[in-house]
Amino acid sequence: MRNPQLNQDGELQHLLSTEGLPARIMRDILDKAGTFLDGGEQPDIRKVPLLHGKSVFNIFFENSTRTRTTFEIAAKRLSADVVNLNIGSSSTSKGETLLDTVDNLCAMHADMFIVRHSQSGAAHLIARHVAPEIHVINAGDGRHAHPTQALLDMFTIRHYKKEFHNLRVAIVGDVLHSRVARSQIHALTTLGVPEVRVIAPKTLLPTMVENLGVHVYHDMAKGLRDVDVILMLRLQNERMQGALLPSAQEYFKHYGLTEEKLSYAKPDAIVMHPGPMNRGVEIDSAVADGPNSVILSQVTFGIAVRMAVMSTLAGGR
Amino acid sequence: MNIHIKNGRVIDPKNQLDAVCDVFIAAGKIAAMGNAPAGFVASQTLDATGLVVIPGLIDLSARLREPGNEYMATLESEMSAAVAGGVTSLSCPPDTDPPLDEPGLVEMLKYRAKNLHQARVYPVGALTTGLKGLELTEMAELVDAGCVAFSQANAPLTDTRVMLRAMQYAATFDFPLWLHPQDYFLSKNGVAHDGEVATRCGLAAIPVCAETIALATMLTLMRETGARLHIGRISSAAGVEMIRVAKRDGLPITCDVSINHLHLSEMDIGFFDSNCHLIPPLRSLRDRDALRAGLLDGTIDAICSNHSPVDEDAKQLPFAESEAGATGLELLLPMVLKWANQVSLPLSDAISKATLQPARILGLDAGHLSVGASADLCIFNPEADWEIKPAALKSQGKNTPFNGMNVFGKVCFTLVEGLVVYAL
């Protein structure tokens, strides 16, 4: 079975997942993202004409402000025409199916779809359905994948740590429901990180997660020991209802990243979070705003990485 | 109408027959094997040279979608699919709309099916009114109308007191219950086996304990009440082992597996193939191997198609939103043959799992070719290989995880009560 995000020549046709994405393509995207940054501590991003005359459709079946906005900025910096659609509040509630919506947008001459959907596999379904000249970027599907988030995380790690092959990385929190965690794990293992850890209570870890190539920890003191990178995950409030966790307070006590817990990691460890943060639930403000935090850099780098992904797809052939 | 079937390899598991011989049919029944009865004049001769003649297949679970779900399939389309697949008898679960919980509905279904003159239909009645799991249906009335057993189909029966009483009541009249073991809470919202694939794909999972906990409840209540139980569509290694122990203890329990679970695993989901969205979920390779072993050692009695046609649009959705189910009536025979071939099982033993054994579970004197038995037969070409293509299927349901697969065994003729109801 051919990976549906690669074409017959092994080039990127869609970006659906970091699973099965060759390291060569990942590195090219990270390198290309670097060229969009001016350098310096507060990087600026130039406008380039790479997607001039192309139509990029942001189709979000699930609400998101941050991801949609960064994609929009990225597309505009590439000189594309951007259309934003919040489908969550229109077509599907009128009974139109996902693929009918896509067909209609194709008829409006879309060149690229950026898709977010609450169901795992939605981006794959669309990618299988559209004509070969149309590219699909998965901006998050259910619990499955969020590849551009993972790639911007890899960019951030490389920016601060230079290499991947000597790192110890810990992912902390609700891995079970997290598309970000899945995409991070595949990206980290593909890029050669020798030790990836996940830290969470058993209720927030999926079955056989160790088969993804990670070491499982339930204790922050042990799991964070000597790590170079800490990737925090967002904990959604509804997790308290499904008998997964007793309370946000108890979660914070055991798994919230405080300065004390951070001290187990290497002194120069970086702390990352995909946002939006729940201060006092998964992360303490002192850490989020502290010297180890690179959370705001992630956001800036996210624009450059999304520009790199879009231009790779558009200029692929 | 006298029919002479010439030169076929006749396989009849019940009579341990596997030989090339002629079959003579008169007045809807098997009149003789080998030599023609005195004075037999054939009005029709079927040349079965190079073909295999077996009892018509009996499918323990085939949804016909009528009444109520005609957008998915109709009685006409699915009955023609049945005979095209060599299926001469089938039982249909009660999860129609409305469910088969009233004698009138059952009589209507039987009447409509009979008028099509194709396969025989044995409805399974709803165990509770509206399949809601609260009140018992009028079981005796439903049996009079033609129901052969009672079931909740895939609907939950969460109230264990209702289950206890249903078993007590059914045991009073010796009505069999056909239950699908899946705990409601542990399977709620789940769409895939709780294993490696669900973890990678981020699909909501159904753990094996959803099956084993439901089974443990059923087995406990069965011991308590003496009810006869048929477990439909077992899916896990642990489940098979529980049935094995129950049988060893002498409980009156039988069990079937679907063609999908016999051949496929969670791995077949691949990149979210909604054709693999099934109930119960496809489980691990280890589970599949245990199902095969259970079928071989007799723990699992029968193979069914679990034919569940759905409309095309309902599959063109993200995996979890897609409708569960796959077409199967026309694939039952090739999938039984494929299994037999893979495990080097004599054809007769394999065929028994889709003829004699399901007949026994249904309590029918059928599934064999004894002289005097109703002439329900399937004649197939064992050498013919064909590719499963949605468009070529008679069923209105075109979705199956086996799409594109090459299989052996093509049905050439199907006879029901001595009449050719299907010819290739």
Side-chain angles (χ1 to χ4, degrees):
Chain A
M1 210 183 306
R2 185 161 57 85
N3 189 319
Q5 61 190 340
L6 304 179
N7 66 20
Q8 276 156 341
D9 304 323
E11 291 164 348
L12 200 64
Q13 169 72 19
H14 307 289
L15 181 67
L16 305 176
S17 167
T18 51
E19 183 184 2
L21 190 64
R24 162 184 62 82
I25 292 178
M26 279 193 212
R27 281 195 215 98
D28 287 351
I29 290 170
L30 302 188
D31 291 345
K32 193 177 247 182
T35 67
F36 293 123
L37 293 167
D38 276 340
E41 273 306 296
Q42 289 294 318
D44 188 27
I45 296 168
R46 292 177 306 236
K47 185 160 180 167
V48 289
L50 290 171
L51 259 67
H52 183 73
K54 305 270 187 192
S55 297
V56 173
F57 280 59
N58 260 326
I59 46 178
F60 278 59
F61 295 87
E62 189 184 74
N63 286 334
S64 155
T65 315
R66 178 182 317 235
T67 305
R68 204 204 63 213
T69 308
T70 52
F71 268 111
E72 185 179 348
I73 294 168
K76 284 180 172 164
R77 294 272 162 88
L78 291 167
S79 314
D81 299 320
V82 187
V83 181
N84 287 318
L85 291 140
N86 269 328
I87 313 274
S89 51
S90 69
S91 309
T92 44
S93 51
K94 292 176 192 158
E96 189 174 65
T97 70
L98 174 56
L99 293 184
D100 280 341
T101 304
V102 168
D103 283 340
N104 274 281
L105 299 178
C106 286
M108 298 173 199
H109 301 289
D111 295 296
M112 197 176 287
F113 288 123
I114 294 157
V115 183
R116 169 163 293 189
H117 199 284
S118 61
Q119 290 293 340
S120 300
H124 277 78
L125 181 71
I126 294 170
R128 259 201 306 273
H129 182 74
V130 296
E133 65 274 13
I134 296 176
H135 305 284
V136 176
I137 298 175
N138 183 3
D141 62 327
R143 307 175 184 180
H144 171 238
H146 195 350
T148 58
Q149 176 69 45
L151 289 172
L152 78 86
D153 292 337
M154 297 309 111
F155 186 92
T156 309
I157 292 172
R158 197 173 74 167
H159 179 85
Y160 289 100
K161 298 291 172 188
K162 309 302 173 202
E163 302 277 359
F164 291 102
H165 69 261
N166 53 359
L167 295 183
R168 201 172 279 139
V169 178
I171 301 172
V172 184
D174 185 3
V175 179
L176 176 63
H177 299 93
S178 178
R179 52 192 172 216
V180 173
R182 283 174 177 78
S183 287
Q184 286 170 336
I185 290 168
H186 295 305
L188 290 165
T189 52
T190 302
L191 290 171
V193 172
E195 189 175 345
V196 182
R197 302 173 175 182
V198 293
I199 312 172
K202 291 182 179 181
T203 46
L204 298 182
L205 289 171
T207 304
M208 297 166 91
V209 66
E210 60 281 1
N211 285 19
L212 301 180
V214 297
H215 300 269
V216 175
Y217 289 83
H218 305 298
D219 180 277
M220 288 286 265
K222 288 181 189 148
L224 290 181
R225 190 170 307 280
D226 295 330
V227 300
D228 301 280
V229 179
I230 303 172
L231 301 168
M232 298 304 295
L233 298 173
R234 178 178 162 74
L235 183 79
Q236 289 183 337
N237 290 327
E238 61 258 33
R239 302 302 168 226
M240 269 34 101
Q241 273 120 53
L244 291 161
L245 291 173
S247 71
Q249 291 75 14
E250 183 157 315
Y251 181 79
F252 183 70
K253 188 169 171 225
H254 288 277
Y255 298 99
L257 188 62
T258 56
E259 285 183 312
E260 186 205 337
K261 290 186 193 122
L262 179 60
S263 70
Y264 299 119
K266 284 189 184 162
D268 64 344
I270 53 170
V271 174
M272 296 165 60
H273 192 295
M277 277 185 288
N278 286 315
R279 289 168 184 262
V281 178
E282 70 256 3
I283 191 163
D284 191 42
S285 287
V287 176
D289 306 327
N292 300 73
S293 169
V294 297
I295 293 168
L296 290 176
S297 300
Q298 285 177 270
V299 180
T300 312
F301 294 156
I303 295 167
V305 167
R306 286 172 176 130
M307 287 172 74
V309 169
M310 284 190 239
S311 57
T312 300
L313 287 171
R317 277 179 293 179
Chain B
M1 183 82 166
N2 290 350
I3 299 179
H4 176 190
I5 302 170
K6 263 170 60 175
N7 291 329
R9 175 184 169 194
V10 181
I11 298 178
D12 179 14
K14 187 182 183 189
N15 295 303
Q16 295 178 342
L17 175 69
D18 184 350
V20 172
C21 72
D22 290 7
V23 181
F24 299 92
I25 295 165
K29 296 190 185 318
I30 308 230
M33 288 277 189
N35 297 318
F40 184 91
V41 179
S43 44
Q44 190 177 4
T45 302
L46 303 177
D47 184 2
T49 308
L51 307 181
V52 178
V53 182
I54 60 171
L57 302 185
I58 299 175
D59 195 342
L60 289 177
S61 181
R63 289 180 167 80
L64 305 171
R65 299 303 191 191
E66 279 199 36
N69 296 314
E70 289 82 357
Y71 65 97
M72 290 179 173
T74 62
L75 210 50
E76 281 81 0
S77 65
E78 302 322 289
M79 294 296 274
S80 70
V83 293
V87 174
T88 56
S89 292
L90 58 89
S91 63
C92 53
D95 52 353
T96 48
D97 183 17
L100 301 178
D101 62 358
E102 280 185 17
L105 290 166
V106 176
E107 278 159 9
M108 175 61 96
L109 180 65
K110 284 210 67 143
Y111 174 79
R112 292 247 300 119
K114 200 174 168 62
N115 277 359
L116 293 171
H117 301 291
Q118 292 181 312
R120 301 168 197 268
V121 172
Y122 296 96
V124 176
L127 182 60
T128 59
T129 311
L131 294 174
K132 290 194 179 112
L134 300 173
E135 292 157 9
L136 300 185
T137 52
E138 295 171 315
M139 293 191 210
E141 300 271 319
L142 285 163
V143 165
D144 289 345
C147 287
V148 291
F150 295 92
S151 158
Q152 281 291 102
N154 295 334
L157 185 49
T158 46
D159 187 332
T160 38
R161 190 163 61 173
V162 173
M163 196 188 289
L164 170 70
R165 290 184 173 159
M167 285 198 194
Q168 284 172 330
Y169 190 78
T172 310
F173 302 95
D174 200 30
F175 299 148
L177 297 192
W178 290 19
L179 299 178
H180 167 57
Q182 188 163 289
D183 182 83
Y184 169 70
F185 296 105
L186 288 169
S187 58
K188 199 162 75 172
N189 302 328
V191 292
H193 168 62
D194 192 13
E196 204 171 333
V197 173
T199 290
R200 293 183 97 86
C201 291
L203 293 171
I206 302 176
V208 164
C209 62
E211 179 164 293
T212 51
I213 286 175
L215 253 182
T217 305
M218 289 168 188
L219 290 171
T220 306
L221 295 178
M222 191 186 170
R223 286 174 203 270
E224 194 76 23
T225 58
R228 272 199 293 146
L229 222 60
H230 175 70
I231 298 296
R233 270 110 291 140
I234 193 91
S235 74
S236 71
V240 173
E241 186 52 31
M242 289 171 77
I243 305 270
R244 188 174 285 126
V245 171
K247 284 192 163 186
R248 202 179 293 149
D249 292 349
L251 291 186
I253 191 166
T254 52
C255 171
D256 71 55
V257 64
S258 86
I259 52 173
N260 302 309
H261 293 79
L262 189 61
H263 287 287
L264 306 171
S265 75
E266 56 174 344
M267 298 296 170
D268 291 285
I269 290 173
F271 298 104
F272 304 97
D273 182 358
S274 62
N275 288 324
C276 292
H277 183 190
L278 303 168
I279 299 172
L282 293 171
R283 296 203 181 272
S284 71
L285 282 170
R286 199 179 70 81
D287 291 306
R288 190 197 64 176
D289 291 347
L291 292 172
R292 291 175 152 234
L295 188 62
L296 213 50
D297 72 15
T299 302
I300 299 174
D301 301 84
I303 307 172
C304 71
S305 73
N306 199 23
H307 180 75
S308 306
V310 302
D311 64 316
E312 198 83 31
D313 289 345
K315 283 289 188 189
Q316 296 290 320
L317 290 169
F319 192 90
E321 288 181 350
S322 69
E323 188 99 34
T327 192
L329 275 166
E330 292 156 89
L331 309 176
L332 180 58
L333 178 69
M335 288 305 152
V336 170
L337 297 176
K338 187 182 180 71
W339 168 67
N341 185 268
Q342 285 169 339
V343 300
S344 304
L345 190 69
L347 219 43
S348 177
D349 294 347
I351 302 265
S352 172
K353 304 284 188 188
T355 54
L356 188 61
Q357 294 303 327
R360 192 171 58 84
I361 291 163
L362 280 163
L364 299 175
D365 179 22
H368 59 84
L369 301 176
S370 312
V371 170
S374 178
D376 294 7
L377 288 91
C378 163
I379 302 173
F380 69 93
N381 181 349
E383 306 295 330
D385 70 310
W386 55 288
E387 188 192 326
I388 297 171
K389 284 193 200 130
L393 297 175
K394 299 244 189 295
S395 168
Q396 197 171 310
K398 303 297 182 193
N399 297 284
T400 156
F402 299 116
N403 271 346
M405 188 181 272
N406 269 305
V407 289
F408 283 89
K410 190 92 187 138
V411 174
C412 303
F413 300 101
T414 304
L415 284 75
V416 173
E417 219 171 344
L419 291 176
V420 177
V421 292
Y422 172 80
L424 184 63

